Amino acid sequence: MPNVLYDALFGRHSGSQAPFLHLTDGSTLTYDAFLKLAGRFAHTITDEGLVAGDRLAVQIEKSPEALAIYAACVQTGVIFLPLNTGYMPEEVQYFVENSGARLLICDVRNAVGLTPIAANAGAGLMTMNADGSGSFSAVAVTKSDRFATVDRTGDDLAAFLYTSGTTGRSKGAMLTQTNLLSNAQTLVDYWRFTSRDVLLHALPIFHTHGLFVATNVTLLAGSAMIFLPKFDPAVMIAQMPKATVMMGVPTFYTRLLDDPAFTKELTAHMRLFVSGSAPLLSETHVQFEDRTGHRILERYGMTETNMNTSNPYDGTRRAGTVGFPLPGVELKVTDPATGATLPQGEIGVIEVRGPNVFKGYWQMPEKTREELREDGFFITGDLGVIDDQGYVQIVGRGKDLIISGGYNIYPKEVELMLDEQDCVMESAVIGVPHPDFGEGVVAVLVPSSGKQIDTDAIMADIKPRIARFKQPKRIVVMDELPRNTMGKVQKNVLRDMFADSFTT
Ligand code: MCA
Ligand code: AMP
């Protein structure tokens, strides 16, 4: 029996001397060298006692070795669980415990804080640093670079990616081999990837965009990546002459446009620029075309579904839209109250069905039932409309979610932490326009009776507890929160009141 995902993405490159990763030190890792590294890692994982279906959590910096752990997980059938490097130990604890991970691999800098967390959760702990060193690699060098790939079917789980929830508790989206492979196949075709492509890769590899969209598409097409540890406009500009394709969140594009060295000449040879994870402002789209002559291709996806829609490769890439449902993906707009399909042109909730749609939330059958219909349609929570030519436009969110620089923040998680503060009676966390991140986090606080809000004390408490990108960039105090007749906080009123927080 084969391992469908491993065979398609990795196995078929065995022995290939073609370049896979171009690194910032000027070196290149071939496909064969990468697979040999992954083979050693696969032995290390199984020798640690992990078997197919076990979870391996990683919170490590982006490196070729970090990517090879993903490959090793696919090869061994172990479920890969990557975590944002910005998460604090308290956040990591939840993911390790909830997933029942058997092994946590972290940077040595965080090992002291995470050791008791792993121990309490019954997980092993090993280290891997940004340069690839650490206890995991030290063991791996002693192993054979050939590993007998573990059989897996398309229905077997390949990865858990946690996505925050409106209740404040993150949910582990269970992604199968077929979910990942079918989407990569569709995108290679739709975006015309070939082995001649070189992708400029500056996204983190702990989310769908950088890991599955960018990396799986590259692997499937046999393309190469210029693999950058993080986004830096100067480095992007320096590397762009060697690339053919770039993928990024809207902040990448606005920051590049802010740099006068980002010119038409620099991008003349480029084949494709893709944007996603957050809305690309029409004005960015227009500015980008004015500057470079290229029209950014915007697409729309989710952790639970990989990619759902895309603007066309040929044909008009329409600013302010996310294009058409991808081949094999059914998309409909429904009435949020009844679930009935709405006629074209009416605004409702976007629902999607296809081989890309996940299997459900790990150990959360009720949440799964709420969002994944029995007939296979997933209720995205995004509000959209389909125009008369079939382009999908996202007009808002039915879910209380902030997207900042492509990272998702569920206000409830931050509100729960603020409400715990002695001086706070209640709080509302909102997203308002931010020139760099698209949306910026504002916390509106009502003081407990007789108390004064001590902003410094509040920040001192939450800073070590939640990732920096989730923390409020502005705190305001009000006597009371605006509510509707049902007593529900009117966040739209607050968003209007504080709309200029970052833009003036
Ligand atoms: C960093 N900071 C942020 C963010 N990133 N604050 C809010 N939102 C952010 N996204 C904080 C830093 O900690 C710092 O705080 C301050 O803001 C300025 O940091 P800066 O150095 O400017 O940030 P950076 O390191 O340059 O990072 C910005 C970034 C990064 C490059 C835009 O956030 C990024 O790579 N985002 C990509 C996210 C992504 O891959 N999303 C895909 C999700 P201080 O000054 O206090 O230290 S997948 C997905 O959504 C779906 C499936 C899809 O459709 O793709
Ligand atoms: P996540 O589940 O964390 O990956 O975030 C997925 C969410 O990002 C979607 O439900 C949308 O709200 C948003 N999103 C992704 N791509 C786009 C896009 N091109 N335009 C607008 N929103 C997007």
Side-chain angles (χ1 to χ4, degrees), residues 55-87:
R55 275 76 61 203
L56 192 167
V58 300
Q59 191 194 30
I60 50 179
E61 296 297 334
K62 184 177 174 184
S63 68
E65 288 80 6
L67 203 55
I69 296 183
Y70 164 52
C73 283
V74 178
Q75 191 168 22
T76 54
V78 166
I79 297 169
F80 185 58
L81 196 180
L83 296 171
N84 193 318
T85 46
Y87 291 152

PDB file of all heavy atoms in Angstrom, residues 55-87:
ATOM      1  N   ARG A  55       0.543  12.485  17.502  1.00  0.00           N
ATOM      2  CA  ARG A  55       0.753  13.892  17.154  1.00  0.00           C
ATOM      3  C   ARG A  55       2.152  14.349  17.579  1.00  0.00           C
ATOM      4  O   ARG A  55       2.595  14.033  18.683  1.00  0.00           O
ATOM      5  CB  ARG A  55      -0.277  14.805  17.843  1.00  0.00           C
ATOM      6  CG  ARG A  55      -1.576  14.916  17.083  1.00  0.00           C
ATOM      7  CD  ARG A  55      -2.463  13.707  17.208  1.00  0.00           C
ATOM      8  NE  ARG A  55      -2.871  13.437  18.581  1.00  0.00           N
ATOM      9  CZ  ARG A  55      -3.258  12.258  19.023  1.00  0.00           C
ATOM     10  NH1 ARG A  55      -3.299  11.215  18.204  1.00  0.00           N
ATOM     11  NH2 ARG A  55      -3.621  12.090  20.283  1.00  0.00           N
ATOM     12  N   LEU A  56       2.795  15.121  16.686  1.00  0.00           N
ATOM     13  CA  LEU A  56       4.094  15.724  16.991  1.00  0.00           C
ATOM     14  C   LEU A  56       3.921  17.237  16.868  1.00  0.00           C
ATOM     15  O   LEU A  56       3.611  17.742  15.786  1.00  0.00           O
ATOM     16  CB  LEU A  56       5.146  15.214  15.998  1.00  0.00           C
ATOM     17  CG  LEU A  56       6.612  15.507  16.322  1.00  0.00           C
ATOM     18  CD1 LEU A  56       7.517  14.669  15.440  1.00  0.00           C
ATOM     19  CD2 LEU A  56       6.993  16.952  16.163  1.00  0.00           C
ATOM     20  N   ALA A  57       4.072  17.946  17.995  1.00  0.00           N
ATOM     21  CA  ALA A  57       3.920  19.403  17.981  1.00  0.00           C
ATOM     22  C   ALA A  57       5.283  20.052  17.830  1.00  0.00           C
ATOM     23  O   ALA A  57       6.261  19.598  18.434  1.00  0.00           O
ATOM     24  CB  ALA A  57       3.258  19.862  19.285  1.00  0.00           C
ATOM     25  N   VAL A  58       5.364  21.084  17.003  1.00  0.00           N
ATOM     26  CA  VAL A  58       6.619  21.823  16.867  1.00  0.00           C
ATOM     27  C   VAL A  58       6.358  23.310  17.054  1.00  0.00           C
ATOM     28  O   VAL A  58       5.376  23.849  16.548  1.00  0.00           O
ATOM     29  CB  VAL A  58       7.318  21.605  15.498  1.00  0.00           C
ATOM     30  CG1 VAL A  58       7.667  20.149  15.274  1.00  0.00           C
ATOM     31  CG2 VAL A  58       6.493  22.128  14.336  1.00  0.00           C
ATOM     32  N   GLN A  59       7.241  23.962  17.816  1.00  0.00           N
ATOM     33  CA  GLN A  59       7.230  25.427  17.885  1.00  0.00           C
ATOM     34  C   GLN A  59       8.672  25.864  17.654  1.00  0.00           C
ATOM     35  O   GLN A  59       9.455  26.035  18.587  1.00  0.00           O
ATOM     36  CB  GLN A  59       6.723  25.941  19.244  1.00  0.00           C
ATOM     37  CG  GLN A  59       6.471  27.449  19.171  1.00  0.00           C
ATOM     38  CD  GLN A  59       6.289  28.129  20.518  1.00  0.00           C
ATOM     39  OE1 GLN A  59       6.852  27.687  21.519  1.00  0.00           O
ATOM     40  NE2 GLN A  59       5.532  29.213  20.545  1.00  0.00           N
ATOM     41  N   ILE A  60       9.006  25.968  16.384  1.00  0.00           N
ATOM     42  CA  ILE A  60      10.404  26.220  16.003  1.00  0.00           C
ATOM     43  C   ILE A  60      10.461  27.237  14.878  1.00  0.00           C
ATOM     44  O   ILE A  60       9.496  27.438  14.155  1.00  0.00           O
ATOM     45  CB  ILE A  60      11.096  24.899  15.550  1.00  0.00           C
ATOM     46  CG1 ILE A  60      10.239  24.158  14.512  1.00  0.00           C
ATOM     47  CG2 ILE A  60      11.381  23.995  16.727  1.00  0.00           C
ATOM     48  CD1 ILE A  60      10.864  22.871  14.009  1.00  0.00           C
ATOM     49  N   GLU A  61      11.631  27.871  14.764  1.00  0.00           N
ATOM     50  CA  GLU A  61      11.826  28.880  13.721  1.00  0.00           C
ATOM     51  C   GLU A  61      11.856  28.205  12.350  1.00  0.00           C
ATOM     52  O   GLU A  61      12.159  27.018  12.223  1.00  0.00           O
ATOM     53  CB  GLU A  61      13.146  29.629  13.962  1.00  0.00           C
ATOM     54  CG  GLU A  61      13.196  30.434  15.250  1.00  0.00           C
ATOM     55  CD  GLU A  61      12.172  31.569  15.306  1.00  0.00           C
ATOM     56  OE1 GLU A  61      11.754  32.062  14.236  1.00  0.00           O
ATOM     57  OE2 GLU A  61      11.784  31.959  16.427  1.00  0.00           O
ATOM     58  N   LYS A  62      11.593  29.024  11.346  1.00  0.00           N
ATOM     59  CA  LYS A  62      11.584  28.530   9.958  1.00  0.00           C
ATOM     60  C   LYS A  62      13.013  28.177   9.519  1.00  0.00           C
ATOM     61  O   LYS A  62      13.925  28.995   9.655  1.00  0.00           O
ATOM     62  CB  LYS A  62      11.020  29.634   9.071  1.00  0.00           C
ATOM     63  CG  LYS A  62      10.856  29.281   7.618  1.00  0.00           C
ATOM     64  CD  LYS A  62      10.216  30.463   6.894  1.00  0.00           C
ATOM     65  CE  LYS A  62      10.150  30.265   5.405  1.00  0.00           C
ATOM     66  NZ  LYS A  62       9.616  31.469   4.720  1.00  0.00           N
ATOM     67  N   SER A  63      13.198  26.965   9.037  1.00  0.00           N
ATOM     68  CA  SER A  63      14.507  26.512   8.554  1.00  0.00           C
ATOM     69  C   SER A  63      14.261  25.300   7.663  1.00  0.00           C
ATOM     70  O   SER A  63      13.181  24.703   7.714  1.00  0.00           O
ATOM     71  CB  SER A  63      15.399  26.101   9.734  1.00  0.00           C
ATOM     72  OG  SER A  63      14.869  24.931  10.338  1.00  0.00           O
ATOM     73  N   PRO A  64      15.263  24.897   6.863  1.00  0.00           N
ATOM     74  CA  PRO A  64      15.089  23.667   6.070  1.00  0.00           C
ATOM     75  C   PRO A  64      14.803  22.468   6.971  1.00  0.00           C
ATOM     76  O   PRO A  64      14.005  21.596   6.629  1.00  0.00           O
ATOM     77  CB  PRO A  64      16.440  23.511   5.367  1.00  0.00           C
ATOM     78  CG  PRO A  64      17.042  24.871   5.355  1.00  0.00           C
ATOM     79  CD  PRO A  64      16.541  25.575   6.582  1.00  0.00           C
ATOM     80  N   GLU A  65      15.447  22.463   8.147  1.00  0.00           N
ATOM     81  CA  GLU A  65      15.247  21.334   9.070  1.00  0.00           C
ATOM     82  C   GLU A  65      13.790  21.307   9.566  1.00  0.00           C
ATOM     83  O   GLU A  65      13.196  20.238   9.714  1.00  0.00           O
ATOM     84  CB  GLU A  65      16.200  21.446  10.270  1.00  0.00           C
ATOM     85  CG  GLU A  65      17.656  21.170   9.950  1.00  0.00           C
ATOM     86  CD  GLU A  65      18.378  22.358   9.298  1.00  0.00           C
ATOM     87  OE1 GLU A  65      17.774  23.450   9.199  1.00  0.00           O
ATOM     88  OE2 GLU A  65      19.546  22.180   8.890  1.00  0.00           O
ATOM     89  N   ALA A  66      13.226  22.506   9.821  1.00  0.00           N
ATOM     90  CA  ALA A  66      11.833  22.559  10.276  1.00  0.00           C
ATOM     91  C   ALA A  66      10.913  21.971   9.205  1.00  0.00           C
ATOM     92  O   ALA A  66       9.973  21.227   9.504  1.00  0.00           O
ATOM     93  CB  ALA A  66      11.438  24.003  10.586  1.00  0.00           C
ATOM     94  N   LEU A  67      11.219  22.277   7.960  1.00  0.00           N
ATOM     95  CA  LEU A  67      10.400  21.747   6.868  1.00  0.00           C
ATOM     96  C   LEU A  67      10.598  20.229   6.739  1.00  0.00           C
ATOM     97  O   LEU A  67       9.660  19.495   6.411  1.00  0.00           O
ATOM     98  CB  LEU A  67      10.799  22.448   5.563  1.00  0.00           C
ATOM     99  CG  LEU A  67       9.760  22.464   4.454  1.00  0.00           C
ATOM    100  CD1 LEU A  67       8.441  23.055   4.915  1.00  0.00           C
ATOM    101  CD2 LEU A  67      10.299  23.265   3.266  1.00  0.00           C
ATOM    102  N   ALA A  68      11.814  19.778   7.021  1.00  0.00           N
ATOM    103  CA  ALA A  68      12.090  18.333   6.924  1.00  0.00           C
ATOM    104  C   ALA A  68      11.333  17.561   8.014  1.00  0.00           C
ATOM    105  O   ALA A  68      11.047  16.369   7.832  1.00  0.00           O
ATOM    106  CB  ALA A  68      13.591  18.070   7.007  1.00  0.00           C
ATOM    107  N   ILE A  69      11.009  18.212   9.125  1.00  0.00           N
ATOM    108  CA  ILE A  69      10.194  17.519  10.142  1.00  0.00           C
ATOM    109  C   ILE A  69       8.793  17.272   9.583  1.00  0.00           C
ATOM    110  O   ILE A  69       8.195  16.221   9.801  1.00  0.00           O
ATOM    111  CB  ILE A  69      10.131  18.321  11.462  1.00  0.00           C
ATOM    112  CG1 ILE A  69      11.527  18.431  12.071  1.00  0.00           C
ATOM    113  CG2 ILE A  69       9.179  17.638  12.456  1.00  0.00           C
ATOM    114  CD1 ILE A  69      11.561  19.140  13.415  1.00  0.00           C
ATOM    115  N   TYR A  70       8.277  18.246   8.845  1.00  0.00           N
ATOM    116  CA  TYR A  70       6.970  18.042   8.187  1.00  0.00           C
ATOM    117  C   TYR A  70       7.046  16.820   7.255  1.00  0.00           C
ATOM    118  O   TYR A  70       6.191  15.929   7.307  1.00  0.00           O
ATOM    119  CB  TYR A  70       6.599  19.318   7.422  1.00  0.00           C
ATOM    120  CG  TYR A  70       5.502  19.181   6.391  1.00  0.00           C
ATOM    121  CD1 TYR A  70       4.266  18.616   6.707  1.00  0.00           C
ATOM    122  CD2 TYR A  70       5.694  19.637   5.076  1.00  0.00           C
ATOM    123  CE1 TYR A  70       3.258  18.510   5.746  1.00  0.00           C
ATOM    124  CE2 TYR A  70       4.697  19.542   4.115  1.00  0.00           C
ATOM    125  CZ  TYR A  70       3.484  18.970   4.455  1.00  0.00           C
ATOM    126  OH  TYR A  70       2.492  18.872   3.506  1.00  0.00           O
ATOM    127  N   ALA A  71       8.094  16.776   6.419  1.00  0.00           N
ATOM    128  CA  ALA A  71       8.244  15.650   5.486  1.00  0.00           C
ATOM    129  C   ALA A  71       8.342  14.330   6.254  1.00  0.00           C
ATOM    130  O   ALA A  71       7.736  13.320   5.872  1.00  0.00           O
ATOM    131  CB  ALA A  71       9.482  15.853   4.618  1.00  0.00           C
ATOM    132  N   ALA A  72       9.091  14.358   7.365  1.00  0.00           N
ATOM    133  CA  ALA A  72       9.281  13.132   8.150  1.00  0.00           C
ATOM    134  C   ALA A  72       7.958  12.675   8.769  1.00  0.00           C
ATOM    135  O   ALA A  72       7.683  11.480   8.872  1.00  0.00           O
ATOM    136  CB  ALA A  72      10.325  13.376   9.239  1.00  0.00           C
ATOM    137  N   CYS A  73       7.145  13.628   9.178  1.00  0.00           N
ATOM    138  CA  CYS A  73       5.833  13.266   9.728  1.00  0.00           C
ATOM    139  C   CYS A  73       4.987  12.585   8.654  1.00  0.00           C
ATOM    140  O   CYS A  73       4.350  11.563   8.904  1.00  0.00           O
ATOM    141  CB  CYS A  73       5.107  14.507  10.265  1.00  0.00           C
ATOM    142  SG  CYS A  73       5.743  15.034  11.865  1.00  0.00           S
ATOM    143  N   VAL A  74       4.981  13.163   7.459  1.00  0.00           N
ATOM    144  CA  VAL A  74       4.177  12.551   6.384  1.00  0.00           C
ATOM    145  C   VAL A  74       4.707  11.138   6.111  1.00  0.00           C
ATOM    146  O   VAL A  74       3.935  10.189   5.951  1.00  0.00           O
ATOM    147  CB  VAL A  74       4.210  13.424   5.107  1.00  0.00           C
ATOM    148  CG1 VAL A  74       3.406  12.755   4.000  1.00  0.00           C
ATOM    149  CG2 VAL A  74       3.660  14.827   5.375  1.00  0.00           C
ATOM    150  N   GLN A  75       6.031  10.978   6.112  1.00  0.00           N
ATOM    151  CA  GLN A  75       6.617   9.673   5.794  1.00  0.00           C
ATOM    152  C   GLN A  75       6.303   8.616   6.856  1.00  0.00           C
ATOM    153  O   GLN A  75       6.157   7.442   6.547  1.00  0.00           O
ATOM    154  CB  GLN A  75       8.141   9.815   5.618  1.00  0.00           C
ATOM    155  CG  GLN A  75       8.784   8.567   5.019  1.00  0.00           C
ATOM    156  CD  GLN A  75      10.217   8.797   4.566  1.00  0.00           C
ATOM    157  OE1 GLN A  75      10.886   9.719   5.030  1.00  0.00           O
ATOM    158  NE2 GLN A  75      10.711   7.939   3.677  1.00  0.00           N
ATOM    159  N   THR A  76       6.193   9.045   8.107  1.00  0.00           N
ATOM    160  CA  THR A  76       5.936   8.093   9.201  1.00  0.00           C
ATOM    161  C   THR A  76       4.446   7.975   9.527  1.00  0.00           C
ATOM    162  O   THR A  76       4.066   7.157  10.367  1.00  0.00           O
ATOM    163  CB  THR A  76       6.642   8.569  10.492  1.00  0.00           C
ATOM    164  OG1 THR A  76       6.225   9.913  10.763  1.00  0.00           O
ATOM    165  CG2 THR A  76       8.151   8.526  10.365  1.00  0.00           C
ATOM    166  N   GLY A  77       3.632   8.835   8.930  1.00  0.00           N
ATOM    167  CA  GLY A  77       2.197   8.813   9.238  1.00  0.00           C
ATOM    168  C   GLY A  77       1.880   9.523  10.542  1.00  0.00           C
ATOM    169  O   GLY A  77       0.737   9.493  11.021  1.00  0.00           O
ATOM    170  N   VAL A  78       2.888  10.175  11.124  1.00  0.00           N
ATOM    171  CA  VAL A  78       2.671  10.927  12.365  1.00  0.00           C
ATOM    172  C   VAL A  78       2.011  12.262  12.002  1.00  0.00           C
ATOM    173  O   VAL A  78       2.330  12.875  10.987  1.00  0.00           O
ATOM    174  CB  VAL A  78       4.023  11.141  13.096  1.00  0.00           C
ATOM    175  CG1 VAL A  78       3.918  12.193  14.193  1.00  0.00           C
ATOM    176  CG2 VAL A  78       4.508   9.814  13.684  1.00  0.00           C
ATOM    177  N   ILE A  79       1.065  12.702  12.830  1.00  0.00           N
ATOM    178  CA  ILE A  79       0.313  13.926  12.516  1.00  0.00           C
ATOM    179  C   ILE A  79       1.137  15.152  12.920  1.00  0.00           C
ATOM    180  O   ILE A  79       1.559  15.285  14.071  1.00  0.00           O
ATOM    181  CB  ILE A  79      -1.056  13.902  13.228  1.00  0.00           C
ATOM    182  CG1 ILE A  79      -1.887  12.721  12.714  1.00  0.00           C
ATOM    183  CG2 ILE A  79      -1.796  15.230  13.029  1.00  0.00           C
ATOM    184  CD1 ILE A  79      -3.150  12.438  13.514  1.00  0.00           C
ATOM    185  N   PHE A  80       1.348  16.030  11.946  1.00  0.00           N
ATOM    186  CA  PHE A  80       2.198  17.213  12.127  1.00  0.00           C
ATOM    187  C   PHE A  80       1.367  18.350  12.715  1.00  0.00           C
ATOM    188  O   PHE A  80       0.313  18.696  12.195  1.00  0.00           O
ATOM    189  CB  PHE A  80       2.760  17.614  10.761  1.00  0.00           C
ATOM    190  CG  PHE A  80       3.743  18.747  10.788  1.00  0.00           C
ATOM    191  CD1 PHE A  80       4.904  18.668  11.545  1.00  0.00           C
ATOM    192  CD2 PHE A  80       3.532  19.895  10.035  1.00  0.00           C
ATOM    193  CE1 PHE A  80       5.828  19.709  11.554  1.00  0.00           C
ATOM    194  CE2 PHE A  80       4.448  20.940  10.031  1.00  0.00           C
ATOM    195  CZ  PHE A  80       5.599  20.843  10.800  1.00  0.00           C
ATOM    196  N   LEU A  81       1.877  18.946  13.808  1.00  0.00           N
ATOM    197  CA  LEU A  81       1.136  20.027  14.468  1.00  0.00           C
ATOM    198  C   LEU A  81       2.073  21.224  14.671  1.00  0.00           C
ATOM    199  O   LEU A  81       2.780  21.299  15.683  1.00  0.00           O
ATOM    200  CB  LEU A  81       0.620  19.507  15.815  1.00  0.00           C
ATOM    201  CG  LEU A  81      -0.467  20.263  16.557  1.00  0.00           C
ATOM    202  CD1 LEU A  81      -0.815  19.559  17.846  1.00  0.00           C
ATOM    203  CD2 LEU A  81      -0.175  21.711  16.827  1.00  0.00           C
ATOM    204  N   PRO A  82       2.121  22.124  13.693  1.00  0.00           N
ATOM    205  CA  PRO A  82       3.013  23.282  13.819  1.00  0.00           C
ATOM    206  C   PRO A  82       2.352  24.407  14.600  1.00  0.00           C
ATOM    207  O   PRO A  82       1.144  24.633  14.466  1.00  0.00           O
ATOM    208  CB  PRO A  82       3.235  23.690  12.361  1.00  0.00           C
ATOM    209  CG  PRO A  82       2.001  23.257  11.636  1.00  0.00           C
ATOM    210  CD  PRO A  82       1.409  22.104  12.397  1.00  0.00           C
ATOM    211  N   LEU A  83       3.137  25.103  15.417  1.00  0.00           N
ATOM    212  CA  LEU A  83       2.590  26.179  16.258  1.00  0.00           C
ATOM    213  C   LEU A  83       3.313  27.488  15.982  1.00  0.00           C
ATOM    214  O   LEU A  83       4.538  27.515  15.779  1.00  0.00           O
ATOM    215  CB  LEU A  83       2.769  25.816  17.739  1.00  0.00           C
ATOM    216  CG  LEU A  83       1.993  24.585  18.207  1.00  0.00           C
ATOM    217  CD1 LEU A  83       2.422  24.186  19.620  1.00  0.00           C
ATOM    218  CD2 LEU A  83       0.488  24.844  18.159  1.00  0.00           C
ATOM    219  N   ASN A  84       2.550  28.576  16.022  1.00  0.00           N
ATOM    220  CA  ASN A  84       3.084  29.919  15.819  1.00  0.00           C
ATOM    221  C   ASN A  84       4.222  30.168  16.817  1.00  0.00           C
ATOM    222  O   ASN A  84       4.067  29.932  18.019  1.00  0.00           O
ATOM    223  CB  ASN A  84       1.949  30.933  16.030  1.00  0.00           C
ATOM    224  CG  ASN A  84       2.302  32.323  15.542  1.00  0.00           C
ATOM    225  OD1 ASN A  84       3.410  32.800  15.755  1.00  0.00           O
ATOM    226  ND2 ASN A  84       1.356  32.972  14.892  1.00  0.00           N
ATOM    227  N   THR A  85       5.352  30.649  16.310  1.00  0.00           N
ATOM    228  CA  THR A  85       6.510  30.876  17.180  1.00  0.00           C
ATOM    229  C   THR A  85       6.259  32.028  18.154  1.00  0.00           C
ATOM    230  O   THR A  85       6.992  32.186  19.128  1.00  0.00           O
ATOM    231  CB  THR A  85       7.760  31.204  16.338  1.00  0.00           C
ATOM    232  OG1 THR A  85       7.392  32.175  15.355  1.00  0.00           O
ATOM    233  CG2 THR A  85       8.303  29.975  15.643  1.00  0.00           C
ATOM    234  N   GLY A  86       5.220  32.814  17.900  1.00  0.00           N
ATOM    235  CA  GLY A  86       4.897  33.914  18.807  1.00  0.00           C
ATOM    236  C   GLY A  86       4.098  33.477  20.029  1.00  0.00           C
ATOM    237  O   GLY A  86       3.920  34.263  20.970  1.00  0.00           O
ATOM    238  N   TYR A  87       3.605  32.250  20.045  1.00  0.00           N
ATOM    239  CA  TYR A  87       2.789  31.817  21.190  1.00  0.00           C
ATOM    240  C   TYR A  87       3.626  31.733  22.463  1.00  0.00           C
ATOM    241  O   TYR A  87       4.770  31.282  22.459  1.00  0.00           O
ATOM    242  CB  TYR A  87       2.163  30.438  20.937  1.00  0.00           C
ATOM    243  CG  TYR A  87       1.091  30.407  19.879  1.00  0.00           C
ATOM    244  CD1 TYR A  87       0.851  29.248  19.153  1.00  0.00           C
ATOM    245  CD2 TYR A  87       0.301  31.524  19.610  1.00  0.00           C
ATOM    246  CE1 TYR A  87      -0.130  29.195  18.173  1.00  0.00           C
ATOM    247  CE2 TYR A  87      -0.684  31.479  18.638  1.00  0.00           C
ATOM    248  CZ  TYR A  87      -0.888  30.317  17.925  1.00  0.00           C
ATOM    249  OH  TYR A  87      -1.851  30.271  16.957  1.00  0.00           O
TER     250      TYR A  87
END
